[in-house]
Amino acid sequence: SQDINFKLTKATDETLEIEAEIQDMRWRDDGGDLEKETNQYYKDNFINRPFTFTVDSQGKIIEKLAYKSGREAETVFDVNNFFMELPKGIQKVGGSWTHSRPADDLLFTKIDSKYTLQEIENDTLAYIKVSNELKGDTNNSTSFTKKLNGTYIINTKNGMLEAGELK
């Protein structure tokens, strides 16, 4: 699990510069040594270390995650889980679209997503049902998939995730 705070640091008509800071990050297993060591590693290397990245006005990532100091960050979380590229023209409740992208992850190589617009509130908040399927290396006989489902509340003006939960 991850608890991440996002702060808008700069905005133009075309882009948003975002600062992200992981407040908490935990891996749960059987409570043994590996879980303790992994969580200590997270705490020592990622907690309270600000990152920056830039998205365009549709929510597409245009500058990858980097530490505030300027050096590129190792992949700690998938920014695309928090900012999604919104399609142009889907404004009808019940409308769906799909998106496939490579996963920048150690276990998975591809993410197939399906989004369904459930509601639009005040012309600025879109409630979107999300179904993600994370796929492992299809060339590997031991590959596996993981499914995440939930709801995102997206700001339609900038693609920013206002709230959401995937399980």
Side-chain angles (χ1 to χ4, degrees):
S1 65
Q2 297 174 332
D3 181 7
I4 304 169
N5 287 341
F6 294 94
K7 180 171 87 175
L8 178 64
T9 57
K10 183 179 177 183
T12 69
D13 289 341
E14 294 84 30
T15 64
L16 299 173
E17 188 176 293
I18 310 290
E19 183 177 299
E21 190 169 338
I22 300 172
Q23 301 299 303
D24 190 33
M25 185 172 178
R26 294 178 191 265
W27 181 65
R28 290 187 181 94
D29 192 19
D30 62 3
D33 289 340
L34 180 60
E35 179 178 330
K36 290 175 187 162
E37 289 171 15
T38 301
N39 288 326
Q40 187 63 46
Y41 177 79
Y42 289 161
K43 182 178 180 182
D44 293 344
N45 292 284
F46 305 121
I47 306 300
N48 299 318
R49 294 184 69 197
F51 303 93
T52 62
F53 61 96
T54 304
V55 297
D56 71 10
S57 60
Q58 289 301 114
K60 181 179 180 183
I61 308 300
I62 55 176
E63 285 185 28
K64 291 187 174 192
L65 200 64
Y67 288 107
K68 216 173 162 185
S69 64
R71 70 179 175 91
E72 189 171 326
E74 62 182 286
T75 302
V76 181
F77 61 89
D78 188 346
V79 174
N80 288 290
N81 286 335
F82 301 94
F83 294 82
M84 58 186 243
E85 192 171 347
L86 297 172
K88 295 182 188 212
I90 294 199
Q91 298 173 352
K92 185 177 175 185
V93 171
S96 292
W97 66 98
T98 59
H99 184 70
S100 291
R101 63 182 172 83
D104 197 8
D105 187 283
L106 296 174
L107 298 175
F108 302 104
T109 57
K110 182 179 178 187
I111 300 174
D112 291 330
S113 301
K114 180 177 181 183
Y115 305 101
T116 304
L117 181 59
Q118 295 179 308
E119 175 186 352
I120 297 177
E121 182 180 297
N122 300 328
D123 291 328
T124 59
L125 295 178
Y127 290 75
I128 300 171
K129 180 180 174 184
V130 180
S131 297
N132 287 337
E133 184 173 81
L134 292 79
K135 296 181 178 184
D137 182 2
T138 56
N139 295 325
N140 183 340
S141 62
T142 61
S143 71
F144 58 97
T145 61
K146 181 177 183 178
K147 295 183 180 188
L148 300 171
N149 296 297
T151 302
Y152 284 170
I153 302 172
I154 303 291
N155 182 317
T156 60
K157 304 298 182 198
N158 59 25
M160 189 173 196
L161 178 70
E162 297 287 333
E165 182 173 47
L166 292 175
K167 293 182 177 185

